[in-house]
Amino acid sequence: MDKQNSQSTPGKKMTPSAIVSYFDQYVIGQDEAKKTLAVVVYSHYRKLGRRQSTVEIAKSNVLLIGPTGTGKTLLCETLARAIGVPFVTANATSLAQSKYVNEEIEAVLLRLLDRAGGDLAKAERGIVFIDEIDKLKSTGSQRATSGERVQHALLKIMEGAPVRLGSTQSIDTTHILFICAGAFVGLETITANTHAFGFISLAEADNQKILDRLNSRVKPTDLFEFGLIPEFAGRLPVIATFKNLSKDMLLKIMVEPRNSIYNQFREILKNEGVELSIEPRVFEQIAELAFEYKVGARSLRGIFEEMITPVLYVTPDRPEIRKVVIRSLFEDPVFITDAP
Ligand SMILES: Nc1ncnc2c1ncn2[C@@H]1O[C@H](COP(=O)(O)OP(=O)(O)O)[C@@H](O)[C@H]1O
Ligand SMILES: [Mg+2]
């Protein structure tokens, strides 16, 4: 195995702004979260690349908070691609439902090793993404107790520990970056109630903006009140919040990213020799509808597919069709054929 290669620290080559530029190609909006994540990742991999360490820099695992379908998972997947490190996803809910939490965690790390092509050194610099972390909250119920158990188990590997994988290998999690994510429904209320910056209240709009930002910041004590154990919350020092997507952002998501839904279906139809043209108004209609569904960008694809299915059904039987125009979500598509 190429030692040089396995020891490389990809983040060193990409500055935070370069990482954000890469994000921008795939993820719409969420500028704050993009910057926060880019800085953490840059510092993390930069630290690993240092020749000698005089000052021990602690690892900054990250917590992503935000409504469903706003790009948390997408941003992490994009990140892993950007910096070229092995990346795995785990789900906190299924960890909590398992009887054998430690075995489940081992399985996650084994998958990471697998993604690294069996290169242990590479895996030990990878990223583990744990979704639905808010489902581990403890409230005293039966289910919550298992959540707390999982928090303790995760705490250990997030701090950094050698974990045995099978009988022959062990993986050191010290330099693995953990990114946790969750919707944390109800946290806004806790955060709003625990902040007292309001009394500074000032007339100027700029100052108000700063206050609003301070007020919307999530504190570790808020997470504790929400139901995370303090040690666990303490292991997630960096918090990035994701905002609800506006109609305008939903519209952009359909057309702007490199692999946008529009581009994907244009490609599919191009392979059939058909040009797809959708008028701007249609995207507005879809965005409007998706906004009502309140699941972020998650409903976009479903609505889009429903609209496009009749087209995909017809075109393979009718080779004379060379173009399809969709003018409205509520009108039949127009098929343009070769002149006879
Ligand atoms: N900000 C965004 N920019 C581009 N696409 C997005 C964005 N947010 C969500 N999407 C789309 O919605 C899908 C679901 O988003 P995901 O990242 O899984 O949401 P969650 O925040 O629940 O993890 C993604 O696969 C992507 O297609
Ligand atoms: Mg997700």
Side-chain angles (χ1 to χ4, degrees):
M1 207 165 297
D2 184 357
K3 180 108 177 159
Q4 190 83 39
N5 203 18
S6 69
Q7 295 285 336
S8 75
T9 51
K12 226 169 31 174
K13 291 177 216 126
M14 274 183 117
T15 63
S17 73
I19 297 175
V20 168
S21 297
Y22 187 84
F23 284 160
D24 286 341
Q25 298 183 330
Y26 299 92
V27 185
I28 301 294
Q30 314 299 9
D31 296 346
E32 297 260 354
K34 282 175 182 167
K35 280 186 194 165
T36 305
L37 199 58
V39 168
V40 166
V41 164
Y42 175 78
S43 312
H44 179 72
Y45 288 101
R46 179 119 183 137
K47 182 187 81 182
L48 294 186
R50 288 189 314 163
R51 280 181 197 285
Q52 17 158 274
S53 42
T54 39
V55 182
E56 197 49 49
I57 305 173
K59 176 169 64 173
S60 294
N61 297 314
V62 185
L63 177 60
L64 309 180
I65 296 176
T68 186
T70 53
K72 300 183 295 295
T73 305
L74 177 68
L75 191 63
C76 291
E77 284 167 356
T78 308
L79 169 70
R81 239 184 11 251
I83 60 176
V85 299
F87 174 85
V88 286
T89 314
N91 187 295
T93 308
S94 45
L95 287 179
Q97 282 161 355
S98 165
K99 256 181 161 174
Y100 310 101
V101 181
N102 287 319
E103 280 86 341
E104 291 287 325
I105 290 175
E106 271 174 46
V108 171
L109 295 171
L110 251 167
R111 268 196 290 131
L112 187 67
L113 182 59
D114 199 49
R115 288 289 156 80
D119 183 339
L120 189 65
K122 217 168 161 180
E124 286 177 338
R125 281 159 171 69
I127 296 175
V128 174
F129 178 73
I130 308 170
D131 214 349
E132 296 188 26
I133 205 80
D134 50 336
K135 301 292 160 25
L136 299 180
K137 72 188 230 164
S138 51
T139 50
S141 71
Q142 181 80 52
R143 169 86 174 275
T145 319
S146 75
E148 218 174 293
R149 202 160 47 92
V150 177
Q151 286 187 57
H152 279 289
L154 287 175
L155 182 61
K156 226 177 65 194
I157 58 160
M158 282 162 67
E159 280 173 338
V163 178
R164 290 202 73 85
L165 298 180
S167 51
T168 50
Q169 291 195 94
S170 104
I171 185 168
D172 183 351
T173 63
T174 307
H175 300 303
I176 292 177
L177 188 65
F178 289 87
I179 302 177
C180 298
F184 287 84
V185 175
L187 187 68
E188 329 79 65
T189 328
I190 296 173
T191 303
N193 288 341
T194 56
H195 281 286
F197 292 118
F199 65 86
I200 313 172
S201 173
L202 298 151
E204 289 187 42
D206 260 8
N207 290 330
Q208 193 55 50
K209 249 194 223 155
I210 295 170
L211 278 186
D212 287 348
R213 251 189 56 197
L214 284 174
N215 283 339
S216 65
R217 268 186 58 176
V218 177
K219 297 189 274 59
T221 45
D222 298 340
L223 295 174
F224 174 56
E225 199 174 323
F226 181 85
L228 295 189
I229 60 172
E231 303 91 312
F232 186 75
R235 273 285 142 198
L236 296 164
V238 179
I239 298 173
T241 50
F242 281 63
K243 311 285 178 287
N244 269 311
L245 300 168
S246 64
K247 280 179 206 169
D248 188 48
M249 285 158 117
L250 289 170
L251 195 152
K252 283 184 176 161
I253 286 171
M254 281 180 278
V255 292
E256 282 188 2
R258 283 187 130 197
N259 53 347
S260 70
I261 302 176
Y262 190 25
N263 285 344
Q264 286 181 34
F265 281 95
R266 280 172 70 93
E267 189 65 29
I268 290 171
L269 281 162
K270 205 172 121 194
N271 291 336
E272 298 277 342
V274 177
E275 182 193 340
L276 175 65
S277 168
I278 300 178
E279 294 189 1
R281 174 179 158 211
V282 178
F283 294 112
E284 279 167 31
Q285 293 168 329
I286 297 175
E288 193 85 28
L289 212 56
F291 190 77
E292 298 301 321
Y293 291 166
K294 293 186 168 55
V295 284
R298 271 177 208 278
S299 51
L300 291 175
R301 197 175 183 96
I303 302 170
F304 197 95
E305 288 205 9
E306 211 176 300
M307 174 183 79
I308 207 86
T309 296
V311 173
L312 296 178
Y313 184 76
V314 168
T315 43
D317 288 330
R318 295 181 52 192
E320 74 277 14
I321 296 174
R322 61 177 176 80
K323 187 171 177 178
V324 177
V325 182
I326 301 179
R327 300 218 164 96
S328 163
L329 187 57
F330 309 105
E331 283 170 26
D332 287 336
V334 178
F335 295 100
I336 297 168
T337 55
D338 283 325

mmCIF file of all heavy atoms in Angstrom, residues 117-140:
data_model
loop_
_atom_site.group_PDB
_atom_site.id
_atom_site.type_symbol
_atom_site.label_atom_id
_atom_site.label_comp_id
_atom_site.label_asym_id
_atom_site.label_seq_id
_atom_site.Cartn_x
_atom_site.Cartn_y
_atom_site.Cartn_z
ATOM 1 N N GLY A 117 -10.864 1.418 1.535
ATOM 2 C CA GLY A 117 -10.218 0.355 0.779
ATOM 3 C C GLY A 117 -9.303 -0.498 1.637
ATOM 4 O O GLY A 117 -8.289 -1.014 1.172
ATOM 5 N N GLY A 118 -9.652 -0.619 2.923
ATOM 6 C CA GLY A 118 -8.869 -1.448 3.832
ATOM 7 C C GLY A 118 -7.633 -0.755 4.394
ATOM 8 O O GLY A 118 -6.897 -1.322 5.192
ATOM 9 N N ASP A 119 -7.424 0.507 3.986
ATOM 10 C CA ASP A 119 -6.276 1.267 4.455
ATOM 11 C C ASP A 119 -6.591 1.877 5.825
ATOM 12 O O ASP A 119 -7.331 2.848 5.942
ATOM 13 C CB ASP A 119 -5.983 2.367 3.419
ATOM 14 C CG ASP A 119 -4.734 3.182 3.775
ATOM 15 O OD1 ASP A 119 -4.340 3.179 4.957
ATOM 16 O OD2 ASP A 119 -4.186 3.806 2.863
ATOM 17 N N LEU A 120 -6.009 1.289 6.864
ATOM 18 C CA LEU A 120 -6.346 1.686 8.234
ATOM 19 C C LEU A 120 -6.003 3.156 8.506
ATOM 20 O O LEU A 120 -6.804 3.902 9.080
ATOM 21 C CB LEU A 120 -5.633 0.770 9.239
ATOM 22 C CG LEU A 120 -6.066 0.922 10.701
ATOM 23 C CD1 LEU A 120 -7.519 0.506 10.888
ATOM 24 C CD2 LEU A 120 -5.163 0.093 11.626
ATOM 25 N N ALA A 121 -4.832 3.583 8.073
ATOM 26 C CA ALA A 121 -4.402 4.968 8.314
ATOM 27 C C ALA A 121 -5.377 5.956 7.684
ATOM 28 O O ALA A 121 -5.682 7.004 8.249
ATOM 29 C CB ALA A 121 -3.004 5.177 7.753
ATOM 30 N N LYS A 122 -5.870 5.608 6.520
ATOM 31 C CA LYS A 122 -6.834 6.465 5.823
ATOM 32 C C LYS A 122 -8.163 6.502 6.582
ATOM 33 O O LYS A 122 -8.754 7.563 6.761
ATOM 34 C CB LYS A 122 -7.054 5.909 4.411
ATOM 35 C CG LYS A 122 -7.234 6.964 3.360
ATOM 36 C CD LYS A 122 -7.138 6.300 1.985
ATOM 37 C CE LYS A 122 -7.750 7.174 0.918
ATOM 38 N NZ LYS A 122 -7.656 6.529 -0.388
ATOM 39 N N ALA A 123 -8.586 5.327 7.030
ATOM 40 C CA ALA A 123 -9.844 5.241 7.777
ATOM 41 C C ALA A 123 -9.774 6.053 9.066
ATOM 42 O O ALA A 123 -10.755 6.671 9.479
ATOM 43 C CB ALA A 123 -10.180 3.782 8.084
ATOM 44 N N GLU A 124 -8.617 6.065 9.669
ATOM 45 C CA GLU A 124 -8.449 6.789 10.936
ATOM 46 C C GLU A 124 -8.461 8.304 10.753
ATOM 47 O O GLU A 124 -8.386 9.057 11.711
ATOM 48 C CB GLU A 124 -7.149 6.337 11.634
ATOM 49 C CG GLU A 124 -7.295 4.953 12.235
ATOM 50 C CD GLU A 124 -6.009 4.420 12.869
ATOM 51 O OE1 GLU A 124 -4.917 4.907 12.499
ATOM 52 O OE2 GLU A 124 -6.108 3.522 13.720
ATOM 53 N N ARG A 125 -8.543 8.746 9.505
ATOM 54 C CA ARG A 125 -8.683 10.176 9.198
ATOM 55 C C ARG A 125 -9.987 10.463 8.472
ATOM 56 O O ARG A 125 -10.160 11.514 7.854
ATOM 57 C CB ARG A 125 -7.512 10.635 8.335
ATOM 58 C CG ARG A 125 -6.267 10.865 9.138
ATOM 59 C CD ARG A 125 -5.017 10.812 8.274
ATOM 60 N NE ARG A 125 -3.856 11.248 9.015
ATOM 61 C CZ ARG A 125 -3.314 10.576 10.022
ATOM 62 N NH1 ARG A 125 -3.842 9.443 10.419
ATOM 63 N NH2 ARG A 125 -2.259 11.048 10.644
ATOM 64 N N GLY A 126 -10.899 9.551 8.588
ATOM 65 C CA GLY A 126 -12.164 9.698 7.872
ATOM 66 C C GLY A 126 -13.205 10.500 8.651
ATOM 67 O O GLY A 126 -12.920 11.088 9.683
ATOM 68 N N ILE A 127 -14.402 10.525 8.096
ATOM 69 C CA ILE A 127 -15.507 11.249 8.718
ATOM 70 C C ILE A 127 -16.658 10.277 8.993
ATOM 71 O O ILE A 127 -17.037 9.491 8.125
ATOM 72 C CB ILE A 127 -16.015 12.391 7.802
ATOM 73 C CG1 ILE A 127 -14.926 13.456 7.603
ATOM 74 C CG2 ILE A 127 -17.279 13.038 8.373
ATOM 75 C CD1 ILE A 127 -15.287 14.549 6.619
ATOM 76 N N VAL A 128 -17.184 10.323 10.207
ATOM 77 C CA VAL A 128 -18.368 9.545 10.546
ATOM 78 C C VAL A 128 -19.532 10.513 10.759
ATOM 79 O O VAL A 128 -19.444 11.434 11.574
ATOM 80 C CB VAL A 128 -18.153 8.681 11.809
ATOM 81 C CG1 VAL A 128 -19.460 7.989 12.219
ATOM 82 C CG2 VAL A 128 -17.068 7.642 11.569
ATOM 83 N N PHE A 129 -20.578 10.308 9.996
ATOM 84 C CA PHE A 129 -21.750 11.173 10.093
ATOM 85 C C PHE A 129 -22.854 10.410 10.838
ATOM 86 O O PHE A 129 -23.218 9.307 10.445
ATOM 87 C CB PHE A 129 -22.217 11.539 8.673
ATOM 88 C CG PHE A 129 -23.446 12.393 8.629
ATOM 89 C CD1 PHE A 129 -23.398 13.729 8.992
ATOM 90 C CD2 PHE A 129 -24.665 11.869 8.209
ATOM 91 C CE1 PHE A 129 -24.532 14.531 8.939
ATOM 92 C CE2 PHE A 129 -25.803 12.662 8.160
ATOM 93 C CZ PHE A 129 -25.742 13.995 8.523
ATOM 94 N N ILE A 130 -23.334 10.970 11.923
ATOM 95 C CA ILE A 130 -24.387 10.303 12.694
ATOM 96 C C ILE A 130 -25.658 11.145 12.641
ATOM 97 O O ILE A 130 -25.710 12.258 13.161
ATOM 98 C CB ILE A 130 -23.964 10.061 14.153
ATOM 99 C CG1 ILE A 130 -22.613 9.344 14.193
ATOM 100 C CG2 ILE A 130 -25.030 9.228 14.880
ATOM 101 C CD1 ILE A 130 -21.987 9.280 15.573
ATOM 102 N N ASP A 131 -26.652 10.590 11.971
ATOM 103 C CA ASP A 131 -27.898 11.315 11.740
ATOM 104 C C ASP A 131 -28.904 11.041 12.865
ATOM 105 O O ASP A 131 -28.747 10.082 13.616
ATOM 106 C CB ASP A 131 -28.477 10.853 10.397
ATOM 107 C CG ASP A 131 -29.194 11.994 9.690
ATOM 108 O OD1 ASP A 131 -29.407 13.045 10.314
ATOM 109 O OD2 ASP A 131 -29.533 11.810 8.513
ATOM 110 N N GLU A 132 -29.904 11.891 12.954
ATOM 111 C CA GLU A 132 -30.994 11.753 13.939
ATOM 112 C C GLU A 132 -30.480 11.673 15.372
ATOM 113 O O GLU A 132 -31.006 10.933 16.199
ATOM 114 C CB GLU A 132 -31.859 10.524 13.614
ATOM 115 C CG GLU A 132 -32.560 10.664 12.278
ATOM 116 C CD GLU A 132 -33.580 9.554 12.027
ATOM 117 O OE1 GLU A 132 -34.109 8.986 12.991
ATOM 118 O OE2 GLU A 132 -33.837 9.271 10.841
ATOM 119 N N ILE A 133 -29.449 12.429 15.652
ATOM 120 C CA ILE A 133 -28.823 12.396 16.975
ATOM 121 C C ILE A 133 -29.801 12.902 18.044
ATOM 122 O O ILE A 133 -29.719 12.532 19.215
ATOM 123 C CB ILE A 133 -27.502 13.220 16.953
ATOM 124 C CG1 ILE A 133 -26.552 12.733 18.040
ATOM 125 C CG2 ILE A 133 -27.733 14.711 17.088
ATOM 126 C CD1 ILE A 133 -25.800 11.490 17.682
ATOM 127 N N ASP A 134 -30.751 13.732 17.623
ATOM 128 C CA ASP A 134 -31.740 14.278 18.573
ATOM 129 C C ASP A 134 -32.679 13.195 19.102
ATOM 130 O O ASP A 134 -33.329 13.382 20.125
ATOM 131 C CB ASP A 134 -32.540 15.419 17.933
ATOM 132 C CG ASP A 134 -33.118 15.044 16.577
ATOM 133 O OD1 ASP A 134 -32.570 14.129 15.917
ATOM 134 O OD2 ASP A 134 -34.121 15.651 16.175
ATOM 135 N N LYS A 135 -32.709 12.046 18.419
ATOM 136 C CA LYS A 135 -33.577 10.953 18.872
ATOM 137 C C LYS A 135 -32.992 10.240 20.099
ATOM 138 O O LYS A 135 -33.630 9.354 20.665
ATOM 139 C CB LYS A 135 -33.807 9.940 17.735
ATOM 140 C CG LYS A 135 -34.450 10.555 16.501
ATOM 141 C CD LYS A 135 -35.876 10.964 16.772
ATOM 142 C CE LYS A 135 -36.487 11.983 15.822
ATOM 143 N NZ LYS A 135 -35.963 12.101 14.486
ATOM 144 N N LEU A 136 -31.785 10.618 20.483
ATOM 145 C CA LEU A 136 -31.158 9.991 21.654
ATOM 146 C C LEU A 136 -31.475 10.732 22.939
ATOM 147 O O LEU A 136 -30.884 10.492 23.985
ATOM 148 C CB LEU A 136 -29.631 9.954 21.474
ATOM 149 C CG LEU A 136 -29.090 9.175 20.281
ATOM 150 C CD1 LEU A 136 -27.577 9.246 20.251
ATOM 151 C CD2 LEU A 136 -29.545 7.721 20.328
ATOM 152 N N LYS A 137 -32.402 11.671 22.862
ATOM 153 C CA LYS A 137 -32.662 12.478 24.048
ATOM 154 C C LYS A 137 -33.229 11.639 25.192
ATOM 155 O O LYS A 137 -33.951 10.663 24.980
ATOM 156 C CB LYS A 137 -33.595 13.647 23.723
ATOM 157 C CG LYS A 137 -35.031 13.287 23.463
ATOM 158 C CD LYS A 137 -35.740 14.532 22.967
ATOM 159 C CE LYS A 137 -37.009 14.787 23.737
ATOM 160 N NZ LYS A 137 -37.492 16.142 23.536
ATOM 161 N N SER A 138 -32.851 12.031 26.382
ATOM 162 C CA SER A 138 -33.333 11.283 27.538
ATOM 163 C C SER A 138 -34.429 12.084 28.231
ATOM 164 O O SER A 138 -34.266 13.255 28.528
ATOM 165 C CB SER A 138 -32.186 11.025 28.509
ATOM 166 O OG SER A 138 -31.510 12.224 28.782
ATOM 167 N N THR A 139 -35.546 11.431 28.430
ATOM 168 C CA THR A 139 -36.651 12.100 29.112
ATOM 169 C C THR A 139 -37.165 11.256 30.256
ATOM 170 O O THR A 139 -38.144 11.584 30.896
ATOM 171 C CB THR A 139 -37.825 12.384 28.146
ATOM 172 O OG1 THR A 139 -38.112 11.167 27.462
ATOM 173 C CG2 THR A 139 -37.478 13.460 27.151
ATOM 174 N N GLY A 140 -36.505 10.127 30.476
ATOM 175 C CA GLY A 140 -36.920 9.274 31.576
ATOM 176 C C GLY A 140 -37.737 8.072 31.141
ATOM 177 O O GLY A 140 -37.954 7.156 31.911
#
